[in-house]
Amino acid sequence: MKRLVFKITHNGREWVVRNESMTLSSPTLDELDIRMGELLRERGEIGQGERVRVIMEFDSSSIPQWIRQYTHHYFDRVVEIEG
Amino acid sequence: MAQPERRWYTGMLTTEDWWAVWLGVGFFFLSLFTLAGVDLVGWITYPTKWVFSPPPEGKGAIGHAFYALGKKYSVTAKGFYKGLGWWSVIWTYVIFTIATCIGAGAMKWNVKRFFVGWTIIYFLTIACWFIGHHAFIAANKLNMRQYGLNFALSLGGGGSFILALIVGLIIGNFFRGFARFLSEAAKPEWYIKTAIVTLGVKLGYLPIKLAGMSQKLGKEAAGLTFELFVAGAAATIVAYMIFWPGVYIISRKIFNLPRKTAAVLGSGISICGVSAAVATGGAVRAKPVVSIMVSALVVVWAVIELIILPGFYTHVWPTTKDPLVAGAAMGMSVKTDGADAAAGELMDEFMRNKIEVETNGAVKWPAGIITSSAVMTKVWIDMFIGIWAFVLAMVWVYRIERRPGEKVPASEVWHRFPKFVLGYFFCWFFLLALYFGPGQSGAPEAMPFLKSVKAGAVPIEKGMRKLFFMLTFMSLGIITDFKKLREAQFGKMVWVYFVSLFFFIIPVAALIAYLFHHGMQIPNIAGYVKP
Amino acid sequence: MAEEVKQKKEISGTGSLTGEALEAEDVLAGAEEWDPVETKLVLWSFVIAIIALIIGLLVVPTSVFN
């Protein structure tokens, strides 16, 4: 299955997902996943009936440094999106 | 270019967790050179009790207040290390500065700021260590006369810890600008994780040390550490599965908090503080601000526990009658590794002094066993959070929020695994292997070999460990700002924390610790050491 | 748009997710109704705790049972 890797963080109002070629933001993860699907279809990253595994790794560098010494891993999301 | 994916080894050179392993295990390996007749760690400094005017036949010359541990324990370079005296403070500073600055650089911190902050924190720590070892503070009624005193506070090494914490708290609460300046190097979790790796050396060395007194004592010590390991695991799992839902219910039903906040608070208050709050926040897909707010509270409450619990457990319940119940309860009650290990170490000093005074010197406990019991339950808790967060993630993703297409990768368990624990177990089991293998479980013919192991292990398990504990106390104080508790946005959470901690977590932890540790005995070494 | 770009810069690599800087009201407000799945979650936790306690007390050599 094709894999697309993104960084994800939160800016206080919205979840922000980005990689070198695109940035997407949304207040909820539900909406984010829907918009991600739409965007990938628009850009031709998913073909009809094809499944893509979207990996959203939390950007640890956005965690305040004083917290990073306790733990540096928030989450990695894996979402499978169908074309 | 595609985004590089997180791998199992990602972060090995860029996180504090791994750097605690590299520091701890790195110096442990250096210590093993004693087996080849080369002592590379004897320079590590250590304080001893002192007074301004020692009696003519007594002890406590100020010129000997710090010494290189190699002076006492080295097999091959005793003469050289004897000559270091106070210079061992500088040797220790230079070598640990190089090591920690390499770590800071690899973690992409501002090395210049770290260096300046570290230097200030190191020398403030040494000053507290020195003052805390004035015989008036550290001696007890059994040995105060050697220093020409008629009264002493009997705090042992605990006085230095308290002093370091007080100095740190004064900086953190009254000199906030200075505290911010020091923040690059005020890293209690990094220091304590490093100290916990060296506590692994302590655990492995304990049977070797006691074998030097008698082979039977050595075997008893090896058995005791294994019992702590098993009892700690059982107690932790039980406590975990009672704490979390308990605090969740209190948060939801009594304080009417939203689900995600209750889940994060449930972990933060009841499990392992900041790391649990962050892991659970991620697991339930909460906005990071929830974990950050809970974490800000956790660090302050943990220090309040550190101030209250060691004295309470030593003098009120369970006292010296059940020291390992107290240790295990501490590990399950005090959130954050730093505050817990620090509280355990403080209690270790208090209890050892108390039992010695109570029995008029007839009972003496080896240092570090009570600390180890406090850290053992905490280490199990730290490991278990990854699994619990994984379970919560599945419940949230598959049952509560039911987001289509989202999967919970099992790799999350590894990414949340506390890596410093690997260093802790590695050092422990490595030394145990030496004890049971070439050390022949302390048989008399293996004593020369075990003495070489001891020459390397003591500077690490005693000098480096205590220094990093001291650094932890100081840094904890510096980053703890009690003003946080007054901030309005935390209002309700402060109360949830207070009610949960004092009326639920601490009593239940004590009960569970009692069920699994009641009656465990620390070996008495009074007959084998100088009074 | 410019603000958005600035914001993206802020959140990257600076550890800027601080409690003070972010909106925190909805962290404490807006409690949802208690859901049956939450009952299941807490009950299962307690059940596991009781099972672990019984097994632990029987198996662990230092427990009060032994």
Side-chain angles (χ1 to χ4, degrees):
Chain A
M1 195 185 304
K2 186 174 168 186
R3 298 160 80 88
L4 293 170
V5 184
F6 295 85
K7 285 276 178 209
I8 182 169
T9 187
H10 196 274
N11 65 14
R13 283 176 292 277
E14 293 183 308
W15 294 98
V16 182
V17 172
R18 64 176 181 278
N19 67 4
E20 286 73 12
S21 57
M22 58 185 268
T23 299
L24 193 64
S25 58
S26 173
T28 66
L29 289 173
D30 292 307
E31 195 186 309
L32 187 81
D33 292 352
I34 293 166
R35 290 188 56 195
M36 175 65 80
E38 287 168 359
L39 195 66
L40 292 179
R41 275 177 223 111
E42 250 172 49
R43 293 165 59 111
E45 298 267 10
I46 319 180
Q48 189 72 36
E50 192 191 354
R51 279 178 86 81
V52 170
R53 180 166 289 186
V54 176
I55 297 155
M56 302 179 194
E57 295 177 347
F58 196 83
D59 179 3
S60 308
S61 64
S62 65
I63 298 173
Q65 215 192 47
W66 73 269
I67 287 190
R68 266 181 261 163
Q69 60 178 319
Y70 296 88
T71 182
H72 50 87
H73 186 72
Y74 195 63
F75 63 39
D76 287 345
R77 295 188 70 222
V78 174
V79 185
E80 287 181 8
I81 296 175
E82 216 171 306
Chain B
M1 197 182 74
Q3 179 89 39
E5 208 172 325
R6 200 191 308 275
R7 303 285 176 193
W8 67 268
Y9 49 82
T10 302
M12 273 191 167
L13 290 178
T14 53
T15 59
E16 286 92 338
D17 208 7
W18 275 112
W19 269 100
V21 178
W22 305 141
L23 282 187
V25 174
F27 280 99
F28 172 60
F29 272 128
L30 277 188
S31 79
L32 292 174
F33 275 84
T34 52
L35 295 176
V38 184
D39 187 339
L40 296 177
V41 290
W43 45 266
I44 295 179
T45 196
Y46 200 71
T48 185
K49 292 188 266 298
W50 61 276
V51 280
F52 285 108
S53 345
E57 301 296 312
K59 292 161 122 185
I62 206 164
H64 298 144
F66 276 97
Y67 66 99
L69 280 163
K71 171 189 158 184
K72 261 194 187 171
Y73 300 98
S74 184
V75 178
T76 52
K78 212 169 239 179
F80 173 73
Y81 289 127
K82 195 175 176 185
L84 286 186
W86 271 83
W87 283 104
S88 61
V89 170
I90 303 298
W91 274 66
T92 305
Y93 166 70
V94 171
I95 295 171
F96 282 134
T97 300
I98 294 169
T100 51
C101 281
I102 291 171
M107 289 186 275
K108 298 191 172 54
W109 298 353
N110 182 334
V111 178
K112 208 169 141 192
R113 252 187 89 186
F114 175 83
F115 169 74
V116 177
W118 158 266
T119 301
I120 294 170
I121 288 173
Y122 176 85
F123 284 105
L124 278 176
T125 300
I126 290 288
C128 293
W129 218 5
F130 171 64
I131 297 167
H133 272 75
H134 187 285
F136 177 74
I137 299 172
N140 60 38
K141 71 175 186 187
L142 299 179
N143 54 29
M144 63 191 178
R145 306 237 177 257
Q146 296 171 353
Y147 302 92
L149 299 174
N150 295 318
F151 178 77
L153 293 177
S154 302
L155 290 174
S160 308
F161 292 140
I162 294 171
L163 204 59
L165 183 64
I166 291 172
V167 170
L169 284 172
I170 290 172
I171 296 171
N173 287 272
F174 298 105
F175 302 92
R176 292 197 173 85
F178 186 44
R180 265 194 301 281
F181 174 74
L182 294 178
S183 64
E184 194 75 2
K187 295 284 162 54
E189 281 294 299
W190 188 28
Y191 301 145
I192 204 63
K193 285 173 179 173
T194 307
I196 291 175
V197 174
T198 63
L199 191 68
V201 179
K202 166 114 224 157
L203 275 178
Y205 165 66
L206 207 62
I208 296 172
K209 174 182 174 165
L210 270 58
M213 300 170 183
S214 97
Q215 194 174 1
K216 186 172 157 268
L217 271 185
K219 284 181 181 166
E220 267 179 42
L224 178 67
T225 53
F226 179 71
E227 283 171 0
L228 281 176
F229 179 76
V230 175
T236 300
I237 292 170
V238 175
Y240 224 97
M241 303 315 289
I242 295 176
F243 286 167
W244 190 88
V247 179
Y248 187 81
I249 292 170
I250 292 172
S251 309
R252 290 279 285 146
K253 294 284 190 186
I254 301 178
F255 289 92
N256 204 26
L257 288 174
R259 242 178 241 147
K260 288 182 179 180
T261 308
V264 176
L265 260 177
S267 292
I269 300 175
S270 66
I271 306 179
C272 46
V274 175
S275 54
V278 173
T280 306
V284 304
R285 308 311 191 228
K287 290 192 290 185
V289 64
V290 181
S291 296
I292 292 165
M293 284 175 71
V294 172
S295 300
L297 274 189
V298 166
V299 291
V300 180
W301 276 107
V303 171
I304 293 173
E305 288 181 277
L306 159 63
I307 293 167
I308 296 172
L309 289 181
F312 182 86
Y313 286 154
T314 306
H315 298 287
V316 182
W317 186 89
T319 69
T320 46
K321 289 190 185 95
D322 243 339
L324 299 177
V325 169
M330 189 76 82
M332 290 186 280
S333 305
V334 181
K335 309 309 142 190
T336 83
D337 298 328
D340 165 55
E345 183 77 357
L346 193 55
M347 191 166 69
D348 196 292
E349 296 282 350
F350 288 169
M351 288 232 186
R352 282 189 298 113
N353 253 287
K354 189 165 184 261
I355 192 78
E356 199 183 333
V357 172
E358 278 173 351
T359 60
N360 217 10
V363 177
K364 251 184 178 229
W365 290 333
I369 295 186
I370 300 169
T371 312
S372 300
S373 64
V375 170
M376 190 64 80
T377 41
K378 179 57 97 203
V379 161
W380 277 113
I381 286 177
D382 287 346
M383 289 193 283
F384 199 59
I385 181 61
I387 296 166
W388 183 239
F390 183 64
V391 171
L392 284 181
M394 289 201 289
V395 170
W396 245 262
V397 168
Y398 299 143
R399 298 298 302 276
I400 294 181
E401 297 191 334
R402 295 169 188 270
R403 209 166 284 120
E406 180 162 11
K407 307 270 180 258
V408 181
S411 59
E412 291 287 85
V413 176
W414 168 248
H415 290 314
R416 293 201 173 101
F417 186 86
K419 314 300 184 299
F420 73 95
V421 167
L422 299 175
Y424 167 76
F425 284 127
F426 175 81
C427 294
W428 178 11
F429 295 148
F430 195 99
L431 282 178
L432 266 191
L434 292 185
Y435 169 75
F436 285 117
Q440 299 170 45
S441 307
E445 56 274 23
M447 279 333 249
F449 171 79
L450 290 176
K451 216 173 163 196
S452 303
V453 177
K454 177 181 178 176
V458 173
I460 305 298
E461 65 86 19
K462 189 171 180 164
M464 181 175 173
R465 184 173 70 87
K466 290 268 184 184
L467 174 65
F468 275 79
F469 266 101
M470 284 293 293
L471 291 165
T472 303
F473 274 92
M474 176 68 72
S475 315
L476 262 180
I478 292 171
I479 66 157
T480 303
D481 185 354
F482 288 120
K483 208 176 99 190
K484 288 261 179 250
L485 290 185
R486 294 205 304 269
E487 283 177 16
Q489 58 174 347
F490 291 134
K492 210 191 260 186
M493 280 208 256
V494 173
W495 285 105
V496 180
Y497 213 117
F498 175 78
V499 170
S500 304
L501 192 63
F502 287 99
F503 297 99
F504 180 58
I505 302 288
I506 293 176
V508 174
L511 174 69
I512 295 170
Y514 182 86
L515 290 176
F516 287 102
H517 296 79
H518 172 57
M520 284 177 81
Q521 297 291 325
I522 300 177
N524 179 11
I525 56 169
Y528 304 94
V529 289
K530 280 186 269 176
Chain C
M1 185 68 193
E3 197 189 329
E4 213 170 279
V5 171
K6 195 178 154 212
Q7 198 170 34
K8 271 174 207 160
K9 236 183 197 172
E10 272 173 15
I11 58 172
S12 173
T14 58
S16 61
L17 287 171
T18 62
E20 290 86 353
L22 303 177
E23 290 174 2
E25 314 89 74
D26 58 341
V27 170
L28 300 174
E32 311 87 344
E33 285 291 303
W34 183 269
D35 192 282
V37 76
E38 292 173 270
T39 311
K40 272 191 196 167
L41 181 63
V42 296
L43 280 183
W44 272 109
S45 288
F46 286 135
V47 168
I48 294 168
I50 291 166
I51 295 170
L53 179 66
I54 294 168
I55 295 173
L57 288 175
L58 293 172
V59 171
V60 173
T62 56
S63 83
V64 285
F65 274 22
N66 296 311

